[in-house]
Amino acid sequence: MAPSIKFTEQLQVFCEIASRMAKHEEADALLFLIEGTIDWQKLRDATGKHHVILASDRKQHLSKAEDFDFDTVELNIPDSPVYERLTQALLESVADDLLTPGATVIALYSGFEVGVIDSMSVVSLDEHLGRLTVHDLRQLETRVPLDTLKTTVDLAVDIGREGREGKPVGTLFVVGDHRKVLKHCHPLGFDPVRGYNIDDRRMEDTKVRESIKEIAQLDGAFVVSSDGTIISACQYISAPAAEITLSKGLGSRHWAAAAISRATGAVAIAVSESNGTVRLFQNGEVMLRIEPFRRAMKWKDFEYDPPSAGD
């Protein structure tokens, strides 16, 4: 059973202050980082008509919240610092079209005592978030399911932003039309995913995504089926690159991405090793570009003048 957070007088006051701050800052939403269930009706009464997003590491903490017109975001980084959880909550909110990339958010969270909402911040999101919105991906005319495309893009952005062990990492994902894609590939030696069961190669699994980040340090491309299964890794792409034109400065990985997307019905997602930029290729052309998201947001200090000694 999920732990319950008591709706205290302090929480009531925080909601009232957050509402006034949202009006002052013309904020787009209130974001609550919660660690248990709350009396949703009292929370809705306290927040009025504001757009409220609830984020938690556990799905059961968000149970029935949507019945009270709250949007919910499930996180997957338990025991991480508050800053990292808030960052993921904001990223996922943008990726799910709950917030716009330029939104201002009033965030409420437990900064000092577990289970007690005792801190509040005004957060202004950058205009270049390092995540695509669902709306952006829907613009692509492809047979690759949206969920598979979004999962792969999010993973590529993570690799571009984080690298591995402090070092930048570049890689390439070729998604969809995998049987035809494989006709243009040959392994660069050892294939790390060969021999594993299908269930152990699905990108929806967090452990699989973490393993992919490790494998991405090796040369070669990942071939991904339309249902999000890693078919092979460390593949050399040898599709013809005739009549393809790319911007100056893009290397062999991007040429391979353009070529394979021209020769097949796949979408190629290339991560630049030099700066972490992610590019989506379709039919030999760059369709979308995502810059690495290294500074999640700008934190605004409250305008507060401490009392003078004479006060």
Side-chain angles (χ1 to χ4, degrees):
M1 183 175 179
S4 178
I5 298 175
K6 188 176 180 180
F7 199 94
T8 62
E9 183 178 348
Q10 175 181 313
L11 181 53
Q12 175 71 33
V13 172
F14 261 79
C15 290
E16 293 173 359
I17 295 173
S19 295
R20 292 201 298 269
M21 187 63 67
K23 184 177 180 180
H24 179 268
E25 296 290 336
E26 298 182 350
D28 300 275
L30 307 181
L31 171 67
F32 287 80
L33 196 61
I34 62 174
E35 298 166 329
T37 60
I38 300 178
D39 187 320
W40 303 129
Q41 185 60 63
K42 288 184 178 179
L43 184 62
R44 173 43 71 196
D45 292 341
T47 54
K49 296 181 179 179
H50 288 290
H51 177 202
V52 176
I53 301 172
L54 306 174
S56 177
D57 288 297
R58 292 177 174 81
K59 188 174 183 179
Q60 60 266 36
H61 293 174
L62 305 171
S63 176
K64 298 184 179 180
E66 293 179 349
D67 294 344
F68 294 84
D69 199 27
F70 295 128
D71 286 321
T72 60
V73 174
E74 187 177 352
L75 310 179
N76 56 17
I77 48 173
D79 303 320
S80 296
V82 170
Y83 177 85
E84 292 185 10
R85 286 186 289 142
L86 278 176
T87 298
Q88 188 188 27
L90 292 164
L91 283 169
E92 294 296 339
S93 295
V94 172
D96 293 339
D97 280 349
L98 303 180
L99 292 172
T100 61
T104 297
V105 179
I106 310 299
L108 299 97
Y109 51 92
S110 301
F112 299 95
E113 184 178 349
V114 176
V116 178
I117 293 178
D118 53 23
S119 303
M120 180 168 58
S121 298
V122 182
V123 185
S124 297
L125 301 181
D126 262 339
E127 292 184 358
H128 302 288
L129 284 177
R131 290 279 178 120
L132 288 179
T133 64
V134 172
H135 174 74
D136 291 325
L137 292 176
R138 285 198 181 110
Q139 307 310 303
L140 293 175
E141 295 182 3
T142 173
R143 295 181 180 178
V144 179
L146 182 63
D147 287 346
T148 299
L149 201 55
K150 183 178 181 298
T151 298
T152 310
V153 168
D154 284 350
L155 178 57
V157 170
D158 284 344
I159 293 172
R161 183 181 69 248
E162 301 168 2
R164 211 62 179 162
E165 298 181 354
K167 297 180 180 179
V169 172
T171 193
L172 173 61
F173 296 91
V174 186
V175 188
D177 202 8
H178 69 274
R179 290 183 176 81
K180 191 171 182 179
V181 168
L182 289 173
K183 295 178 181 179
H184 297 277
C185 298
H186 66 261
L188 287 168
F190 174 67
D191 183 345
V193 304
R194 186 175 182 180
Y196 283 88
N197 293 328
I198 290 180
D199 290 340
D200 296 326
R201 292 185 276 125
R202 296 195 185 280
M203 292 181 61
E204 62 189 23
D205 189 326
T206 302
K207 293 180 180 179
V208 172
R209 294 197 298 273
E210 288 302 312
S211 297
I212 290 173
K213 291 179 182 180
E214 294 291 342
I215 299 171
Q217 300 175 82
L218 304 176
D219 290 334
F222 293 93
V223 178
V224 184
S225 67
S226 293
D227 67 359
T229 302
I230 302 294
I231 302 300
S232 59
C234 299
Q235 296 294 308
Y236 177 78
I237 305 294
S238 58
E243 299 181 2
I244 290 178
T245 303
L246 294 181
S247 301
K248 185 178 180 181
L250 296 183
S252 58
R253 182 178 291 113
H254 297 89
W255 280 95
I260 195 66
S261 70
R262 171 67 66 85
T264 68
V267 173
I269 303 168
V271 181
S272 173
E273 185 174 354
S274 61
N275 56 17
T277 299
V278 176
R279 291 177 174 84
L280 273 73
F281 291 82
Q282 188 178 33
N283 196 30
E285 299 180 358
V286 177
M287 304 300 292
L288 292 169
R289 169 178 166 171
I290 314 127
E291 295 299 334
F293 182 67
R294 290 198 165 88
R295 292 178 62 96
M297 51 221 162
K298 296 178 182 177
W299 296 78
K300 296 176 63 176
D301 295 329
F302 289 112
E303 295 180 359
Y304 170 71
D305 294 324
S308 63
D311 292 341

